[in-house]
C-alpha cells in the first residue's frame, strides 16, 4: 500500500512559478491567480518539461508578430512599387528616343485639346447670344402661343449651353492632367537618360 502511494506521488506533476514579489514556488497545483501569469511544468527529475507563458507574454508576442507582418507587407509593397516604376521606365525609354520626341508628342495632344476647347467655347458664345435674343423676343411678344414656343426654345438652349459648359470644364481638366503628365514624363526621361550616361 505504501509502495503504491509513493509511486503515485513520484508520478504527480510538479509546477514552478514566481509570484508578484519575485518569490519562487513549487507545488503539484498552480493557484488560479497564477494560471494566467505563466508557470513551468517539471518532470519527476525536476527538469523543465513544459512552459506555459503568461497572458502578458502572449500579448507581447502577438504584437511583435503583427509588427513583423506589417513590416513584411511594407517591404512587399515597396518591392512591387519598385518593379512597377521599372516597368514604366522601360516603357518610357522604349517609346521615346529623345526629349524632342516627347515634346512633339505632348504638344500635339495639348493642341488637340486646345482646338476642342476652342470649338466648344465658340458654340458656348453662340448659344449665349441666342439665349439673349430669345429672351428679348419673349419679352416683346404678346401672343401666348408664341411666348410658349419661345419659352421652350429658351429652355432647350439653356440645357444645351449647360452641356457645352460641362464639356469645356472636362476638356480643361484633361488639359491640366495632360500638362502634369508632360512635365513628369520629361523630368523622368531626363533623369533616366542622365543616369545612362
Amino acid at each position: 500500500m505504501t509502495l503504491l502511494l509513493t509511486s503515485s506521488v513520484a508520478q504527480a506533476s510538479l509546477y514552478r512559478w514566481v509570484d508578484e514579489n519575485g518569490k519562487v514556488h513549487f507545488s503539484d497545483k498552480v493557484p488560479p491567480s497564477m494560471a494566467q501569469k505563466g508557470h513551468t511544468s517539471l518532470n519527476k527529475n525536476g527538469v523543465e518539461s513544459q512552459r506555459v507563458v503568461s497572458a502578458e507574454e502572449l500579448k507581447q508576442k502577438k504584437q511583435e508578430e503583427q509588427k513583423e507582418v506589417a513590416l513584411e507587407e511594407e517591404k512587399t509593397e515597396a518591392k512591387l512599387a519598385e518593379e512597377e516604376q521599372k516597368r514604366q521606365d522601360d516603357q518610357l525609354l522604349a517609346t521615346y528616343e529623345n526629349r524632342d520626341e516627347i515634346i512633339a508628342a505632348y504638344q500635339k495632344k495639348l493642341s488637340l485639346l486646345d482646338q476642342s476647347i476652342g470649338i466648344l467655347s465658340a458654340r458656348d458664345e453662340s448659344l449665349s447670344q441666342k439665349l439673349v435674343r430669345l429672351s428679348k423676343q419673349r419679352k416683346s411678344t404678346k401672343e401666348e402661343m408664341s411666348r410658349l414656343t419661345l419659352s421652350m426654345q429658351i429652355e432647350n438652349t439653356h440645357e444645351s449651353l449647360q452641356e457645352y459648359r460641362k464639356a469645356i470644364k472636362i476638356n480643361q481638366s484633361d488639359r491640366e492632367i495632360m500638362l502634369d503628365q508632360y512635365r513628369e514624363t520629361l523630368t523622368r526621361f531626363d533623369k533616366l537618360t542622365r543616369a545612362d550616361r
Side-chain angles (χ1 to χ4, degrees), residues 94-109:
T95 306
Y96 304 104
E97 279 190 31
N98 54 57
R99 72 192 322 268
D100 290 338
E101 285 185 9
I102 296 171
I103 293 167
Y106 275 93
Q107 290 292 355
K108 187 177 180 182
K109 290 174 185 177

Side-chain angles (χ1 to χ4, degrees), residues 103-150:
I103 293 167
Y106 275 93
Q107 290 292 355
K108 187 177 180 182
K109 290 174 185 177
L110 289 166
S111 177
L112 287 170
L113 281 168
D114 287 338
Q115 284 176 30
S116 179
I117 291 167
I119 291 164
L120 290 166
S121 296
R123 189 69 184 132
D124 178 299
E125 181 61 30
S126 172
L127 286 169
S128 296
Q129 289 173 4
K130 183 180 178 181
L131 207 53
V132 170
R133 280 198 314 273
L134 289 170
S135 296
K136 283 181 181 176
Q137 282 178 0
R138 188 178 62 178
K139 259 186 185 177
S140 62
T141 302
K142 304 288 183 209
E143 192 196 350
E144 189 60 36
M145 200 64 187
S146 296
R147 284 176 63 82
L148 190 62
T149 303
L150 287 166

Side-chain angles (χ1 to χ4, degrees), residues 1-37:
M1 184 73 174
T2 309
L3 184 62
L4 182 64
L5 183 61
T6 309
S7 175
S8 66
V9 169
Q11 289 176 0
S13 298
L14 187 64
Y15 300 99
R16 176 187 179 274
W17 73 92
V18 183
D19 65 18
E20 292 86 352
N21 301 316
K23 189 176 177 184
V24 179
H25 297 269
F26 292 92
S27 176
D28 60 345
K29 289 180 185 173
V30 179
S33 61
M34 296 305 298
Q36 293 295 310
K37 295 186 178 176

